[in-house]
């Protein structure tokens, strides 16, 4: 697919994230608002945290007509679900992201002098708000989510949560070379012979 074809891909008007600008009109200063609750598509998150697919996302958008395009601003709100990067406990919290992006009209200086991946386009009077909202959601998500700021994570030896272990919790972490020597000194002679047989195999 050539770059030109990519730019002209028609955003599916069947997608609930795609909004027509026909009612808004092209006169600078015109304004319309949209409040909708939509189902999150796949990809509104990272591996460990995000908005689950099909979960409700409440969008509150303001479309303002300007000379070069339509400025879309507002908020998107949804429940974020994930797990703590340290202790793997489930995490759940509400998130509201702020939006603000210009979508260029075709045949404007803005369209002529920018790439579609810098300034989004209005295609056949439609604005696809999904990429803008997805980007804002991904930016708002923590790369290493924590159940609480001072989560102490898990004991690397037994995998239990430090928060649930006693203060003096520890493991007999003897150096494996010493452990082997100790085993040799304490094992019965016939056990020694069996070990030797294993080694010769
Ligand atoms: Zn945690
Ligand atoms: Zn432990």
């Amino acid at each position: 697919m050539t770059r030109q074809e990519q730019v002209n891909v028609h955003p599916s008007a069947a997608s609930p994230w795609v909004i027509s600008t026909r009612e808004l009109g092209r006169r600078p200063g015109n304004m319309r608002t949209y409040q909708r609750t939509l189902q999150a598509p796949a990809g509104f998150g990272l591996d460990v945290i995000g908005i689950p697919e099909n979960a409700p996302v409440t969008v509150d958008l303001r479309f303002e007509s300007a000379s070069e395009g339509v400025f879309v601003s507002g908020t998107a709100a949804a429940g974020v679900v994930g797990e703590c990067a340290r202790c793997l406990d489930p995490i759940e919290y509400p998130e509201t992201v702020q939006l603000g992006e210009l979508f260029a009209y075709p045949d404007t200086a803005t369209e002529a002098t920018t790439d579609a991946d810098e300034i989004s386009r209005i295609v056949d009077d439609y604005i696809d708000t999904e990429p803008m909202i997805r980007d804002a959601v991904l930016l708002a998500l923590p790369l290493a989510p924590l159940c609480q700021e001072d989560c102490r994570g898990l004991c690397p030896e037994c995998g239990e949560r430090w928060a649930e272990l006693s203060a003096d919790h520890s493991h007999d972490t003897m150096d494996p070379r010493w452990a082997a020597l100790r085993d040799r000194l304490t094992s019965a002679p016939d056990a020694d012979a069996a070990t030797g047989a294993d080694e010769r195999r």
Side-chain angles (χ1 to χ4, degrees):
M1 192 184 266
T2 67
R3 160 143 215 102
Q4 194 58 35
E5 283 167 336
Q6 268 174 356
V7 168
N8 287 334
V9 164
H10 195 298
S12 165
S15 164
W17 301 85
V18 174
I19 295 172
S20 169
T21 64
R22 269 181 209 137
E23 285 178 35
L24 176 69
R26 212 167 146 165
R27 209 172 61 142
N30 282 2
M31 198 272 284
R32 289 190 77 86
T33 58
Y34 298 86
Q35 285 91 24
R36 296 179 178 184
T37 298
L38 305 174
Q39 287 188 314
F44 269 28
L46 309 165
D47 282 347
V48 289
I49 194 160
I51 300 170
E53 195 172 348
N54 298 325
V57 181
T58 302
V59 296
D60 192 342
L61 301 174
R62 183 184 163 98
F63 280 47
E64 288 165 274
S65 188
S67 57
E68 294 289 304
V70 172
F71 188 72
V72 180
S73 59
T75 57
V80 170
V81 174
E83 68 182 26
C84 175
R86 289 187 195 151
C87 73
L88 311 181
D89 263 4
I91 299 176
E92 211 171 332
Y93 63 90
E95 179 70 83
T96 300
V97 295
Q98 302 291 324
L99 308 165
E101 189 167 327
L102 179 76
F103 290 75
Y105 288 125
D107 310 317
T108 55
T110 301
E111 200 222 20
T113 58
T114 61
D115 284 334
D117 51 8
E118 293 173 79
I119 304 278
S120 303
R121 309 300 200 216
I122 298 171
V123 181
D124 293 343
D125 298 333
Y126 287 107
I127 285 178
D128 184 0
T129 64
E130 187 194 316
M132 165 182 72
I133 295 171
R134 187 198 314 118
D135 287 353
V137 166
L138 291 178
L139 259 176
L141 295 174
L143 291 174
L146 297 177
C147 61
Q148 51 189 49
E149 202 137 322
D150 59 350
C151 172
R152 293 167 64 207
L154 306 175
C155 168
E157 290 293 321
C158 63
E160 296 295 321
R161 286 179 186 80
W162 279 118
E164 291 161 16
L165 294 168
S166 62
D168 61 351
H169 175 77
S170 70
H171 293 268
D172 185 5
T173 53
M174 186 183 274
D175 184 305
R177 287 165 298 180
W178 287 113
L181 182 62
R182 179 196 58 187
D183 290 347
R184 187 168 300 180
L185 292 173
T186 56
S187 59
D190 52 351
D192 250 355
T195 309
D198 277 338
E199 278 167 4
R200 278 195 298 278
R201 255 187 233 142

